[in-house]
Amino acid sequence: MAKEASQGENHGSVKPPPEPSPLRKARFFQANMRILITGGAGFIGSHLVDKLMQNEKNETIKTNVIGTLNMLGLAKRVGARILLTSTSEVYGDPLVHPQDESYWGNVNPIGVRSCYDEGKRVAETLMFDYHRQHGIEIRIARIFNTYGPRMNIDDGRVVSNFIAQAIRDEPLTVQLPGTQTRSFCYVSDMVDGLIRLMEGDNTGPINIGNPGEFTMTELAETVKEMINPEVKIITVENTPDDPRQRKPVITKAKELLGWEPKVKLREGIPLMEEDFRQRLGIPRKN
């Protein structure tokens, strides 16, 4: 009996496993959680990755729609002016070139990119609904491709991809066919345009971007020339629904905001290179 009692006492004294950090239950932590999958290239693992990536796309459209609704509700309560940074992606794969603000776009609503494109289009709709129904002061900027220091080095955007690859002595990967075009606005110009829009009297939408247009092959060749002439340029398969051309008409920005970009691509690339080299710890070769 004594032995059984002793065993019972010992059993009762076993400590339960520690509780996870309270942060695990925090909404912010869950929304920004990173997931590591070992064996993600295997049979089950690859299907798990597909499912989790689909969830990520759901979060993209939820952020655009629910996030915009939340901020509009706040602006309504406190009587604030609100600026939405929309995107040139609302024009989709444009059939009109270059694109001005009157163009309604050519967007595939069920494509792999549509979670972002349609999310921003819905966000613009919500902004104007609140403006008309509740008198909220709104401003909408349609921003085109932007680059500069502090970009995520491995975020998948073409300028950061090429610069990081050139610094690391890796081939520059141009997605086929290489003739697709983009227009690149340096971040200081973009910030100036957004401030002018926010402080002005025009609701928008207004295109904020640099009308200088480059093919992806031209961009790769420019980065190669300026950063690492020894690096190779190779082609890889493209993503579905990739727009063939993108260039803003900035007449409204010039006339209504007194804004136009000042920094040329060849001036902006060295500034971004310097930032990337510092963060990667890779100095320039003599």
Side-chain angles (χ1 to χ4, degrees):
M1 293 290 291
K3 186 176 181 180
E4 290 177 359
S6 175
Q7 288 176 338
E9 290 171 2
N10 290 339
H11 180 73
S13 65
V14 174
K15 293 182 179 179
E19 286 288 321
S21 165
L23 285 173
R24 294 284 295 183
K25 299 178 181 178
R27 296 177 71 181
F28 175 83
F29 185 89
Q30 291 172 348
N32 292 275
M33 186 183 297
R34 294 183 179 181
I35 301 172
L36 172 65
I37 302 174
T38 59
F43 169 50
I44 297 177
S46 63
H47 288 270
L48 179 59
V49 169
D50 289 344
K51 180 64 176 178
L52 292 173
M53 289 301 293
Q54 182 62 49
N55 291 343
E56 184 67 23
K57 292 176 182 178
N58 293 340
E59 290 301 319
T60 297
I61 197 163
K62 283 170 63 179
T63 297
N64 280 319
V65 176
I66 299 175
T68 301
L69 276 172
N70 289 340
M71 294 309 298
L72 282 166
L74 176 61
K76 180 184 174 184
R77 287 195 301 275
V78 303
R81 179 181 297 175
I82 178 171
L83 182 145
L84 171 70
T85 52
S86 187
T87 172
S88 60
E89 294 292 338
V90 300
Y91 299 126
D93 187 6
L95 303 178
V96 172
H97 190 74
Q99 299 81 50
D100 67 17
E101 295 85 350
S102 67
Y103 180 51
W104 288 359
N106 176 44
V107 177
N108 176 5
I110 59 172
V112 295
R113 300 166 58 96
S114 62
C115 59
Y116 184 66
D117 302 359
E118 298 289 19
K120 287 293 189 180
R121 288 162 71 94
V122 172
E124 288 193 17
T125 299
L126 292 170
M127 291 283 284
F128 269 95
D129 283 346
Y130 268 70
H131 173 63
R132 297 184 187 106
Q133 295 175 22
H134 306 294
I136 305 297
E137 273 197 278
I138 65 168
R139 304 289 185 268
I140 297 177
R142 289 179 178 163
I143 65 176
F144 283 65
N145 293 70
T146 307
Y147 71 102
R150 301 186 201 167
M151 286 187 78
N152 188 325
I153 291 173
D154 296 305
D155 66 0
R157 290 179 172 87
V158 66
V159 180
S160 50
N161 274 359
F162 286 172
I163 291 179
Q165 287 168 341
I167 290 173
R168 291 165 168 160
D169 289 323
E170 298 172 354
L172 308 190
T173 51
V174 176
Q175 292 190 342
L176 290 170
T179 54
Q180 64 270 38
T181 67
R182 296 293 184 272
S183 302
F184 303 101
C185 185
Y186 191 69
V187 65
S188 61
D189 286 334
M190 178 60 62
V191 168
D192 181 41
L194 293 175
I195 290 173
R196 287 171 183 252
L197 175 58
M198 188 63 168
E199 293 179 346
D201 298 323
N202 195 277
T203 295
I206 293 182
N207 290 339
I208 305 291
N210 191 320
E213 185 179 16
F214 300 86
T215 68
M216 296 303 94
T217 299
E218 288 172 340
L219 176 64
E221 289 171 347
T222 300
V223 170
K224 174 178 178 174
E225 174 197 335
M226 299 185 70
I227 297 179
N228 188 348
E230 304 301 319
V231 78
K232 294 180 179 179
I233 297 176
I234 63 174
T235 55
V236 297
E237 287 301 315
N238 204 341
T239 54
D241 297 328
D242 186 45
R244 291 164 293 175
Q245 52 191 3
R246 190 66 61 71
K247 176 181 177 178
V249 174
I250 60 169
T251 304
K252 274 192 174 183
K254 288 180 178 179
E255 295 178 353
L256 300 176
L257 307 180
W259 177 89
E260 60 181 316
K262 299 180 176 64
V263 181
K264 295 183 172 71
L265 184 64
R266 284 181 170 269
E267 297 169 340
I269 285 176
L271 302 175
M272 191 166 167
E273 177 194 0
E274 181 183 359
D275 171 64
F276 272 33
R277 285 192 181 279
Q278 288 179 354
R279 287 193 279 154
L280 288 169
I282 304 176
R284 249 192 180 281
K285 297 175 183 177
N286 295 326

